[in-house]
Amino acid sequence: MADSTMPDRHVRLAIVGSGPAGLTAAIYAARANLAPVVISGVPSGGQLMITTDVENYPGFPEGIQGPELVVKMREQAARFGTEFLDSNVRNVDLKHHPFMLDTGLTGIVHADAVIVATGANARWLELANEQRLRGHGVSACATCDGFFFKGKDVVAVGGGDSAMEEATFLTKFANSVTVVHRRPELRASRIMQDRARRNPKIRFRFETEVTDVLGADSVSGVVVRHIPSGKHETLDVQGLFLAIGHDPATEVFRGALELDEKGYLLTTDITRTSVDGVFAAGDVYDHRYRQAVSAAGLGCMAALDAEKWLAEHPAPAHRPTSHGSDSSPTR
């Protein structure tokens, strides 16, 4: 880990985020000889890191695990000379040029252009015991934790594609999976609904919400409330998995870039944000499609837009020496 005295660096392009949008942007930018620096975030990899079988990403007819896809993308970006800083951006100054990104222990990055690809974060129920038992039976990552629930009974909260995917994956290990959903019907696509409904290990509780999680050191039960009747019931389960949506990871850019009422970045001409020279890619502003392949496509677009913008804004004659890899990207 870098120490707090690490000197400032000046780069042509900084990419904030390391999901499919940020990594695709890095691949294109590196091949354009922009020597991008990716501030990957901790943890890195975006939502693919908590995604199970990815069956709809082109080029993988048998499907691929989300974390494996991230690793392959990162290796591809590194091959062309991308530098990675495994840290978070904790403060920004986008009013002055070059832009300033404070990454804490890994120093301050001054960038001529920036691509924001910070994605979105999993949403939680905000229950006290849910937070207390995170990592002890409460999870938002079936891929990470499903293995530890062999032969156990679990609850999966949500009604969208992610919830159906998580529930289906969990049946590889769990004895049973109870899907709890607030609405009277699922929001998932028909193919995902049908797949879950055909699975004999999955059962459904509609118009129901989780109100508490029980257990001292690990989950021993989940309290649910049937919304129309108000009746509470305790389900004898040993795990709670959340798949109820995401919130854009834009907090550090609040006040620096224009956001919509839900916190997503506002853009014009697809990837351009409210600040000239700052571009957006992926789920940080795409709240319609939210797919790995569309995020990757937007990462490509942002990199091409940034490359064109940088060509129109030559680098200053004198700037601080960059630190990191000296390898020259190949094209």
Side-chain angles (χ1 to χ4, degrees):
M1 179 179 291
D3 61 38
S4 59
T5 62
M6 188 168 184
D8 295 2
R9 68 182 71 193
H10 190 150
V11 300
R12 287 295 273 159
L13 177 65
I15 300 169
V16 187
S18 58
L23 293 176
T24 302
I27 292 168
Y28 273 78
R31 284 176 53 83
N33 290 325
L34 294 178
V37 168
V38 172
I39 305 170
S40 63
V42 179
S44 63
Q47 292 303 310
L48 279 180
M49 295 302 291
I50 57 172
T51 301
T52 54
D53 295 324
V54 180
E55 298 179 327
N56 54 6
Y57 199 91
F60 299 94
E62 303 302 322
I64 185 172
Q65 292 288 300
E68 183 183 0
L69 182 57
V70 170
V71 169
K72 288 180 178 294
M73 288 181 170
R74 180 162 173 149
E75 289 175 347
Q76 189 173 359
R79 173 191 169 199
F80 296 113
T82 299
E83 179 187 356
F84 289 89
L85 294 181
D86 292 322
S87 56
N88 293 310
V89 173
R90 64 182 189 181
N91 190 30
V92 301
D93 180 358
L94 305 181
K95 294 181 179 178
H96 304 93
H97 199 262
F99 306 118
M100 186 279 292
L101 305 170
D102 182 357
T103 69
L105 291 178
T106 53
I108 291 177
V109 176
H110 298 279
D112 296 331
V114 173
I115 294 175
V116 180
T118 46
N121 295 316
R123 194 173 294 162
W124 299 86
L125 297 175
E126 303 303 328
L127 302 173
N129 285 330
E130 169 203 49
Q131 299 302 310
R132 180 176 61 83
L133 291 169
R134 282 177 61 173
H136 299 277
V138 176
S139 173
C141 179
T143 306
C144 305
D145 303 322
F147 176 82
F148 300 107
F149 292 83
K150 285 185 175 181
K152 298 183 179 181
D153 300 303
V154 302
V155 163
V157 180
D161 280 354
S162 294
M164 297 306 100
E165 183 182 13
E166 296 279 276
T168 302
F169 177 80
L170 286 168
T171 61
K172 296 179 180 180
F173 309 101
N175 178 59
S176 72
V177 180
T178 300
V179 174
V180 173
H181 186 43
R182 290 178 53 86
R183 300 183 182 183
E185 57 186 24
L186 299 172
R187 296 179 290 106
S189 60
R190 179 54 58 184
I191 187 172
M192 295 300 291
Q193 288 192 44
D194 291 345
R195 183 178 300 177
R197 291 182 185 278
R198 289 196 303 266
N199 194 310
K201 287 188 175 182
I202 298 177
R203 61 194 67 165
F204 296 87
R205 291 289 188 101
F206 293 105
E207 296 184 283
T208 301
E209 63 181 358
V210 173
T211 60
D212 200 3
V213 188
L214 306 179
D217 300 318
S218 62
V219 173
S220 62
V222 169
V223 180
V224 298
R225 182 176 75 94
H226 183 238
I227 296 172
S229 66
K231 180 182 178 181
H232 285 81
E233 182 181 355
T234 298
L235 304 182
D236 184 16
V237 298
Q238 296 79 50
L240 173 65
F241 288 82
L242 284 299
I244 54 176
H246 305 88
D247 294 309
T250 54
E251 187 60 34
V252 73
F253 297 101
R254 191 171 297 277
L257 295 172
E258 289 186 10
L259 311 176
D260 69 10
E261 66 280 359
K262 294 183 178 180
Y264 289 93
L265 287 179
L266 289 172
T267 62
T268 59
D269 193 24
I270 304 181
T271 72
R272 296 176 184 271
T273 70
S274 57
V275 172
D276 191 33
V278 179
F279 304 86
D283 292 0
V284 73
Y285 80 98
D286 170 28
H287 49 79
R288 178 176 179 180
Y289 298 104
R290 295 174 178 170
Q291 300 295 309
V293 68
S294 58
L298 291 168
C300 164
M301 296 178 200
L304 293 176
D305 287 344
E307 179 185 2
K308 181 179 179 181
W309 188 90
L310 286 167
E312 297 169 351
H313 297 77
H318 302 285
R319 65 182 187 176
T321 302
S322 295
H323 294 77
S325 173
D326 293 325
S327 60
S328 298
T330 57
R331 198 173 179 90

